[in-house]
Amino acid sequence: MADTRKPTFKPRAGTRPGVVSAERSLDDPVEVPSGAATGKDSNVLAFPEPKGRKRRRTVLAVLAVIVALVAGIIAAAIYSPVFAVRTVTVDGAKLLQPAAVQKALEPVKGKPLPQINDAEIAALLKPLVQVRSVSTEARPPSELLVHISERVPVALVKNGDSYLLVDVDGVKLGSTPDNASVPLPVIDGQGANQDLFKAITAVLATLPADVLAKMASASAKSPDAVELKLTDGKIVVWGNADEKELKARVLEALLKAPANPKVPVNVYDVSAPRHPFTK
C-alpha cells in the first residue's frame, strides 16, 4: 500500500541561504497496516487445510488400526491353544469302522482348528479305500466334524471262495463268503476285460438301490451290449452307456408295472429308452 504521509523537511546544515534541501528522517516511524504480514514470508498467505483432506486422513488412520487389530486376532486364533482340537466327530461312515477312522485322524488332535483343511484330512484317510471324498466343519472351540462320502458297492466279483464288493471304479471295498447275503449282482471280473468291466459297473451305478437289489448278475459281450439278469430269471437288455439315466428310470417304471398273468414278461428291453418294449 502506498505511503501517504508527507515527508518531513528540515534544512541541511551548510546549505546556502534560500536553498532548501528535503530528506526524510530515518527515525520517523513507519505504520504497518493491521493484518499485514511481516518478515521474510511477508508475501506468503497461509490457507486452512481443506476439510475433505483432513477427513480422509482420519479415515485412513482408523482403517489402518482396524486392519492391524483384525490381523492380530486372526494370528491369535490360528496359533492359540484355545482352539486346539479335542474332539473329532465323524458322520457318513457305513462301510468303515468308526475306530479305524478315529485312529487315522489321531494326528489332528491338539492342532488349532484354523490350521486344519480338507486336503489334510483326505490325506490322513487315503489308506481307507472306502472313502471317496471328505469335507470338514470346525465347531469352536475344540470340535472338528468330518463328513465322509463313501464309495458305493455296485457288484460282487467272484474271488476264490469269497466275493469281493467293488464300486463303479472297480475299487475293492470288502468281501463276503456268501453272495446271497449281499443284494448285489455278480459279475465276472476275471473273464471281462477292463472296458467291459467299466461298462457293466457304470450301468449298475446308475440303477436305483431298489432296482439294483433285484439284479442277480450282469454281463457284456461288448461295451454296446450290456445285459442284466434279475433274481427271478428275467433279462434286461440294456445296450450301450448312452442315456443311462433315462434307461434306469424307464426300467424302474417297467418293473413296477402290474404283471399280467395272460402276457408273461421274460425280457425288458430299454436299449432304446424312448421306445422300450417287453416280450
Side-chain angles (χ1 to χ4, degrees):
M1 184 179 294
D3 191 354
T4 57
R5 293 184 299 108
K6 294 182 180 181
T8 302
F9 297 98
K10 56 183 179 179
R12 181 181 296 176
T15 55
R16 290 178 298 171
V19 178
V20 177
S21 175
E23 66 176 5
R24 185 165 61 186
S25 172
L26 295 176
D27 295 332
D28 292 344
V30 178
E31 294 181 5
V32 179
S34 176
T38 59
K40 295 181 179 179
D41 298 328
S42 58
N43 60 339
V44 178
L45 298 178
F47 293 97
E49 184 178 17
K51 293 182 179 180
R53 184 183 300 172
K54 184 178 181 180
R55 186 163 48 248
R56 285 196 298 272
R57 190 168 64 247
T58 302
V59 170
L60 290 175
V62 172
L63 288 177
V65 172
I66 292 175
V67 170
L69 289 174
V70 172
I73 293 172
I74 293 175
I78 291 176
Y79 298 102
S80 175
V82 174
F83 297 103
V85 175
R86 295 180 179 83
T87 304
V88 177
T89 304
V90 178
D91 70 0
K94 297 176 181 178
L95 296 174
L96 289 163
Q97 295 295 327
V101 178
Q102 290 289 343
K103 183 178 180 181
L105 297 177
E106 193 68 26
V108 303
K109 290 186 176 180
K111 190 172 183 178
L113 284 170
Q115 294 186 29
I116 300 172
N117 55 49
D118 291 357
E120 179 182 3
I121 299 301
L124 291 174
L125 296 179
K126 187 176 181 179
L128 304 178
V129 294
Q130 295 88 344
V131 178
R132 176 177 289 277
S133 62
V134 297
S135 61
T136 59
E137 180 183 337
R139 291 183 172 178
S142 59
E143 182 183 4
L144 177 68
L145 178 58
V146 179
H147 303 282
I148 293 180
S149 176
E150 291 184 329
R151 293 181 179 274
V152 179
V154 297
L156 296 170
V157 176
K158 179 69 174 173
N159 182 39
D161 295 332
S162 63
Y163 294 86
L164 299 175
L165 284 77
V166 298
D167 76 339
V168 65
D169 299 318
V171 176
K172 301 172 184 177
L173 305 178
S175 64
T176 178
D178 182 14
N179 65 314
S181 64
V182 181
L184 292 174
V186 177
I187 60 178
D188 184 3
Q190 302 297 327
N193 61 34
Q194 193 69 13
D195 291 338
L196 296 182
F197 184 85
K198 288 184 176 180
I200 295 170
T201 56
V203 170
L204 297 177
T206 308
L207 298 177
D210 58 338
V211 175
L212 184 63
K214 296 177 181 179
M215 298 298 161
S217 64
S219 60
K221 295 179 180 179
S222 73
D224 293 328
V226 176
E227 190 172 279
L228 311 175
K229 185 176 182 180
L230 279 70
T231 54
D232 60 5
K234 297 176 181 179
I235 303 299
V236 176
V237 178
W238 187 275
N240 57 29
D242 293 344
E243 300 182 298
K244 57 180 182 286
E245 289 81 8
L246 177 59
K247 291 179 180 180
R249 293 196 299 270
V250 171
L251 177 59
E252 184 178 22
L254 291 175
L255 293 176
K256 290 181 178 179
N260 186 348
K262 296 181 179 180
V263 186
V265 175
N266 294 314
V267 177
Y268 298 92
D269 193 322
V270 295
S271 56
R274 287 177 172 76
H275 304 284
F277 66 89
T278 61
K279 61 181 180 179

